Amino acid sequence: MSRRTRFSQAAVAVSVIALAAVGCGKSSTDTSSDSKKSSSGYTGKGIGLAYDIGGKGDQSFNDAAYAGFQKAETEFKIGGRDIEPQDGESDADKVQRLEQLAKSGYNPVIGVGFVYAPAVKEVAAKYPKVTFGIIDDEQDKAANIADLVFHEEQSSYLAGVAAAKATKKNHIGFIGGVDIPLIHKFEAGFDQGAKSVNPSIKIESQYLTQTPQEGGFSSPDKGKDAAAGQIEKGADVLYHAAGLSGQGVISEAASKKVWAIGVDSDQYAQSSLAKYKDWILGSALKNVGGAVYDLAKSVVDGKPLSGVVRGDLKSGGVGFADSNPKYKALTAVVAAVDKAKQDIIDGKVTVQTTQ
């Protein structure tokens, strides 16, 4: 049965923890060796989290998941284990990773990213008493699977409005990590938002790779090169949906003194991007951390979520970060973004998921 929930919105600081190699992939943390029992009867070892391409430290998608992981561990006083991906790994490696977590007693077990869809489907069938979550995919259907998905196009629409209002050249750019339907949603929303401000605005568009295995989400150098090309063509606001590769987009934009718009996490607030933050206009947020936290809470409470759980602007599942004081000073930009947000929530604007 599909269920909707309000994703938790508390910010959680992401700490850096040394990685130790284990089994399939690298385990970043393992904070429990014994099962925990809560007042609701929860007896699992804690949360099992398997990262997507790029791993922890991407200052974006995976780190957002880690923030939710940490918050749940702390608030529910449960353990947890998070495991890094390997370079060039197969679906079989992902199956082994999830099975290792489930067999060890972790519950829920969460795959961070659509690439885990086949593995979640296979392992969830073997462990029907364990709740599995998958972020950014909704093809797996089972009583013990929660599909944690988002209206990325809505936050991207706000990014498009911000870009179109902030540009001085009526020329902006979009850089997607991988040429796949999920990232097309980001581009579609961004383009629609920008054109709602200026129908004749010029928008550069580029995808870094055709497949995730080619490094589209994990290669800052590819992001930097793409950004340099778009800036040379005249774009003065760049929006990326490229995971770790987006760090290259942001660094290049800052070096050329043009605006960058981040994705998934509030990238203005990320420590590794601090020297570029003055040029991070804002970020199109996706509350991955809230989704991880809420799934863990549902399991600890004895009422595990299942089916499609989709975050949108109304629920707080997506949004637009306004941390940069320079953004707040652009009152016309802020007003346009706020109005666009309310129009989407009120149903006055429907954001397209394809172009």
Side-chain angles (χ1 to χ4, degrees):
M1 178 178 67
S2 295
R3 300 172 65 175
R4 292 173 64 97
T5 186
R6 181 178 181 85
F7 288 127
S8 302
Q9 298 182 65
V12 184
V14 178
S15 62
V16 178
I17 299 175
L19 304 180
V22 301
C24 58
K26 297 177 182 177
S27 180
S28 300
T29 57
D30 188 349
T31 56
S32 172
S33 57
D34 300 311
S35 295
K36 305 285 184 178
K37 186 168 183 178
S38 70
S39 58
S40 66
Y42 175 75
T43 57
K45 289 181 72 173
I47 314 163
L49 194 70
Y51 291 115
D52 195 4
I53 295 165
K56 190 161 66 177
D58 66 354
Q59 304 294 320
S60 184
F61 183 65
N62 287 293
D63 280 356
Y66 179 57
F69 171 90
Q70 283 192 307
K71 178 177 166 63
E73 278 189 307
T74 301
E75 290 198 8
F76 308 137
K77 295 179 172 57
I78 58 176
R81 183 177 180 189
D82 59 330
I83 306 180
E84 298 280 354
Q86 292 177 311
D87 292 336
E89 67 181 22
S90 65
D91 283 343
D93 293 321
K94 294 180 178 64
V95 168
Q96 185 182 355
R97 184 174 303 129
L98 298 183
E99 197 157 8
Q100 180 183 8
L101 290 168
K103 188 175 181 179
S104 298
Y106 293 96
N107 188 18
V109 173
I110 303 171
V112 184
F114 66 90
V115 293
Y116 278 96
V120 166
K121 182 178 181 180
E122 180 175 337
V123 180
K126 296 178 182 179
Y127 294 88
K129 293 184 179 180
V130 175
T131 294
F132 290 81
I134 180 165
I135 296 171
D136 278 353
D137 190 272
E138 54 184 299
Q139 62 182 302
D140 290 343
K141 307 297 181 188
N144 63 328
I145 297 176
D147 298 310
L148 308 173
V149 291
F150 303 85
H151 280 294
E152 298 94 348
E153 72 280 2
Q154 293 183 350
S155 54
S156 295
Y157 184 99
L158 302 185
V161 170
K165 292 292 290 186
T167 180
K168 296 178 179 178
K169 299 181 178 180
N170 291 320
H171 193 168
I172 61 178
F174 171 81
I175 297 172
V178 181
D179 190 359
I180 53 174
L182 174 64
I183 306 304
H184 294 173
K185 288 176 66 180
F186 288 86
E187 183 181 14
F190 180 70
D191 285 6
Q192 185 181 347
K195 290 177 180 177
S196 74
V197 174
N198 178 3
S200 62
I201 194 168
K202 186 172 183 179
I203 306 175
E204 302 291 338
S205 176
Q206 183 175 348
Y207 287 87
L208 301 179
T209 64
Q210 294 299 305
T211 67
Q213 292 76 18
E214 295 172 282
F217 292 131
S218 57
S219 304
D221 58 326
K222 294 182 188 297
K224 183 179 179 68
D225 289 345
Q230 292 194 355
I231 294 168
E232 186 175 350
K233 291 178 181 178
D236 64 352
V237 185
L238 305 183
Y239 171 47
H240 85 85
L244 182 63
S245 300
Q247 292 191 19
V249 175
I250 290 170
S251 66
E252 182 65 15
S255 73
K256 299 294 171 56
K257 294 182 168 47
V258 304
W259 289 118
I261 297 177
V263 78
D264 293 341
S265 297
D266 181 357
Q267 298 203 285
Y268 175 85
Q270 299 296 339
S271 58
S272 71
L273 298 173
K275 61 184 175 181
Y276 312 122
K277 67 180 185 179
D278 283 350
W279 293 99
I280 300 175
L281 182 66
S283 297
L285 300 176
K286 184 159 70 173
N287 199 0
V288 174
V292 169
Y293 172 89
D294 286 344
L295 182 59
K297 183 178 188 302
S298 74
V299 174
V300 170
D301 289 346
K303 300 176 182 178
L305 293 167
S306 66
V308 176
V309 184
R310 189 180 300 276
D312 59 11
L313 280 176
K314 188 173 184 179
S315 71
V318 299
F320 190 78
D322 61 356
S323 302
N324 190 343
K326 291 186 177 181
Y327 168 79
K328 293 177 181 178
L330 300 173
T331 54
V333 179
V334 173
V337 171
D338 287 347
K339 182 179 185 303
K341 177 181 178 179
Q342 196 59 51
D343 284 347
I344 293 170
I345 291 173
D346 292 343
K348 296 178 181 178
V349 172
T350 300
V351 187
Q352 303 303 311
T353 57
T354 58
Q355 291 179 301

